Amino acid sequence: MGVVNVTPDSFSDGGRFLDHDAALAHARALVAQGAHWIDVGGESTRPRADPVPEAEELRRVLPVVEALAGEGVAVSIDTRKAAVAEAAVAAGARMVNDVSAGLGAVAAATGAAFVAMHMLGDPTTMQQDPHYDDVVAEVRDYLVARADAARAAGVAEVWIDPGIGFGKALDHNLDLLANLDVLVATGYPVVVGTSRKAMLGQLAARATPGGGAAPVTDRLEGSLATAVWARLRGAAMVRVHDVGATVKALGAVEVAAPAA
Ligand code: HH2
């Protein structure tokens, strides 16, 4: 899944694709590089991001969704707003990717697939000292409840996502990545998004003698390593910014993997 943020303030590419033509050109390039899905978002969910009014979010995403869907691209809409999800599906999106995991009924009503992602709190507060007793069990139980509810409401295709970086300290993220098999064992297909996230900056600092945290422009190695890890641990999809490099990295390990 390739990310197209039609936003001025996304943490890694804010402002680059706010213009619709730029967003479309970028999305087409990601498809050419091998993306199976394009995830279009009009509101940043980075920590402390400003909320976006509904009309502005619609103005950002709808023309992009409509044009891509018209070209046969499988489009996912990354939103927390029911009205945006409904309008995007009417414009041709086939999946609702909801970081608040609350739009299962909207996905059901529109016939779209649904991604339920785990987030602790909301983007304005989520990174203020997040606490869990057992992060893996709590995230799993939350996601299964949301996914079961979406399925009961009538969604045919439900995905779950641990929400790396959404109300999680570094050790919570690492625990979730180390125990992806617990999420995979639920039977729901798992999607994982680590691409360019802050944890990769922290891990690069740990790995580099005397190194500081890697800035967002310098997290490709961590993004690729964790995408490969997630797929080898059973994730069915990875959500990434660098599609071409990810496709090559995944291709390399699939070739190198012993036959099952
Ligand atoms: N991460 C982001 C946004 N949406 N959706 C899912 N399912 N999983 C994720 O890990 C995920 C997500 C954050 O990344 P990005 O869209 O690049 O940044 P921003 O929220 O600042 O636009």
Side-chain angles (χ1 to χ4, degrees):
M1 173 182 272
V3 180
V4 175
N5 288 317
V6 194
T7 57
D9 58 346
S10 285
F11 78 95
S12 81
D13 55 4
R16 287 189 59 200
F17 310 116
L18 188 56
D19 172 74
H20 289 151
D21 288 337
L24 279 173
H26 184 57
R28 291 182 187 121
L30 298 185
V31 171
Q33 290 164 19
H36 294 170
W37 285 92
I38 295 295
D39 192 35
V40 178
E43 178 184 52
S44 173
T45 49
R46 74 183 158 75
R48 297 172 298 282
D50 289 330
V52 177
E54 185 177 297
E56 172 61 10
E57 193 175 332
L58 286 166
R59 191 197 65 74
R60 291 179 186 175
V61 296
L62 274 192
V64 178
V65 169
E66 195 166 14
L68 291 175
E71 293 168 20
V73 175
V75 177
S76 154
I77 179 71
D78 185 350
T79 188
R80 295 183 285 162
K81 296 188 184 74
V84 174
E86 281 162 5
V89 176
R94 295 185 217 166
M95 180 185 273
V96 175
N97 173 30
D98 174 15
V99 300
S100 67
L103 297 181
V106 174
T110 55
F114 180 57
V115 180
M117 197 200 79
H118 178 274
M119 171 165 62
L120 190 68
D122 66 63
T124 45
T125 57
M126 65 189 181
Q127 289 306 106
Q128 292 168 7
D129 196 20
H131 172 81
Y132 302 84
D133 292 325
D134 180 342
V135 67
V136 176
E138 286 169 45
V139 167
R140 178 202 53 205
D141 292 350
Y142 171 92
L143 291 175
V144 167
R146 295 301 173 113
D148 284 353
R151 203 150 65 177
V155 182
E157 185 182 334
V158 183
W159 296 69
I160 59 172
D161 182 329
I164 297 298
F166 284 85
K168 280 125 193 152
L170 176 59
D171 284 344
H172 299 138
N173 291 322
L174 291 175
D175 244 9
L176 286 163
L177 288 172
N179 293 287
L180 277 182
D181 55 327
V182 173
L183 298 185
V184 172
T186 65
Y188 287 106
V190 174
V191 54
V192 175
T194 56
S195 185
R196 299 184 184 172
K197 285 187 178 169
M199 66 169 278
L200 303 175
Q202 297 168 273
L203 291 171
R206 268 194 195 173
T208 316
V216 70
T217 48
D218 186 21
R219 296 180 187 160
L220 180 61
E221 297 89 342
S223 300
L224 298 176
T226 49
V228 165
W229 169 270
R231 285 284 288 132
L232 291 180
R233 287 293 171 127
M237 181 152 72
V238 284
R239 179 184 182 279
V240 304
H241 302 86
D242 301 288
V243 170
T246 306
V247 166
K248 284 183 204 155
L250 293 176
V253 288
E254 274 161 18
V255 169

